[in-house]
Amino acid sequence: MSRRVSENDKIELILRELALKGPLALNQLTNSLVKEFGMKPITARSAVSRIVKSLRMGFFIKEVGIGPKGSTVIDITPRCVAVCFLSIIEYDEPILDLDDCLTAIARRNPKLAPYTEALKVFDEIFNELLEEEEEEIGEEEEEEIHYDILEDMFYIERHYLKDLELETWEDMLRILEDCVISLLEEKKPEEYLNKICDKFKELSPIVR
């Protein structure tokens, strides 16, 4: 039995599927909505068509071919991942989780893996420090926020990425460098330097 699913939930799933498994055919995304939310195939197909059309307008996805069954194959773009990154940094309202963004980049350009692995380490350490701070001062009650993912994506693209060249995955290097610098400036290095060193010892040779 199908249930009512918010547009945000559908968009998040489509973007996550593309980030982690893309390129994907439209019928594969339709099947994902059916499987995840129990939607009727005809309803899921209509939702995918509508959302993909909106994402194309922002250059957040692109067509890359035709699948075996004649379904259009699409993939997420570097501009889309950059928008998702900025949604985490600027608004703390992730469209995609940081790990999903980093995985999407590393899958498409393995040369950027040292940056993505470094950011995963920093993020893990900052979360540990944040938990320690919350234990000391007490965790604040979170206020429920209502937002529109597509509206936020277009806003971030217009205000932060309008004049930035982001056509290839190599262009993501600038975004990743800015993220590393921002994270380093957020806390005093001496507060977490030993933790970073310990974490890096656990990583693969590519980042040593």
Side-chain angles (χ1 to χ4, degrees):
M1 179 182 294
S2 62
R3 60 184 175 85
R4 186 173 183 81
V5 183
S6 73
E7 194 77 351
N8 280 352
D9 287 341
K10 298 170 195 171
I11 296 168
E12 284 180 354
L13 179 62
I14 287 172
L15 290 177
R16 189 178 303 111
E17 288 286 291
L18 288 171
L20 302 182
K21 303 174 185 176
L24 292 171
L26 296 184
N27 57 11
Q28 290 177 291
L29 294 173
T30 296
N31 292 338
S32 294
L33 290 182
V34 171
K35 182 179 179 181
E36 181 71 18
F37 301 124
M39 297 173 64
K40 295 178 180 178
I42 189 171
T43 306
R45 193 177 304 115
S46 175
V48 168
S49 177
R50 179 178 64 253
I51 292 168
V52 165
K53 182 179 179 180
S54 296
L55 291 172
R56 276 201 189 104
M57 290 173 61
F59 301 101
F60 301 131
I61 61 170
K62 64 178 180 179
E63 292 186 18
V64 296
I66 301 294
K69 297 183 179 180
S71 182
T72 301
V73 177
I74 62 172
D75 199 9
I76 202 168
T77 64
R79 187 164 294 272
C80 181
V81 175
V83 165
C84 293
F85 255 119
L86 291 172
S87 74
I88 299 170
I89 297 170
E90 298 293 333
Y91 300 106
D92 200 30
E93 282 293 332
I95 297 169
L96 288 178
D97 291 339
L98 178 63
D99 193 63
D100 291 342
C101 292
L102 297 175
T103 300
I105 295 168
R107 283 185 69 236
R108 291 162 175 84
N109 189 341
K111 292 181 180 179
L112 297 181
Y115 290 90
T116 60
E117 291 298 327
L119 279 167
K120 287 181 183 180
V121 171
F122 292 154
D123 183 59
E124 183 178 341
I125 292 169
F126 284 133
N127 285 334
E128 290 175 3
L129 291 173
L130 183 60
E131 288 176 5
E132 292 173 4
E133 291 174 0
E134 287 176 347
E135 288 177 2
E136 292 178 3
I137 63 177
E139 188 173 354
E140 295 183 3
E141 186 175 342
E142 291 188 6
E143 182 180 348
E144 188 175 355
I145 300 174
H146 300 281
Y147 65 103
D148 182 305
I149 286 181
L150 281 175
E151 186 177 303
D152 284 355
M153 290 180 74
F154 280 102
Y155 177 87
I156 292 171
E157 202 282 330
R158 281 197 311 270
H159 287 78
Y160 296 98
L161 300 176
K162 183 179 179 181
D163 300 319
L164 189 62
E165 184 176 342
L166 276 171
E167 302 303 322
T168 69
W169 291 102
E170 284 78 8
D171 295 332
M172 282 297 301
L173 179 59
R174 186 185 307 176
I175 298 291
L176 292 173
E177 287 176 337
D178 288 345
C179 286
V180 172
I181 292 170
S182 297
L183 287 170
L184 285 171
E185 291 176 344
E186 188 172 330
K187 293 278 186 181
K188 294 179 181 178
E190 60 268 19
E191 290 185 27
Y192 57 90
L193 184 58
N194 289 334
K195 289 185 178 181
I196 289 178
C197 290
D198 291 339
K199 291 292 181 183
F200 266 86
K201 289 176 184 177
E202 301 171 7
L203 294 177
S204 61
I206 193 170
V207 295
R208 287 179 186 165

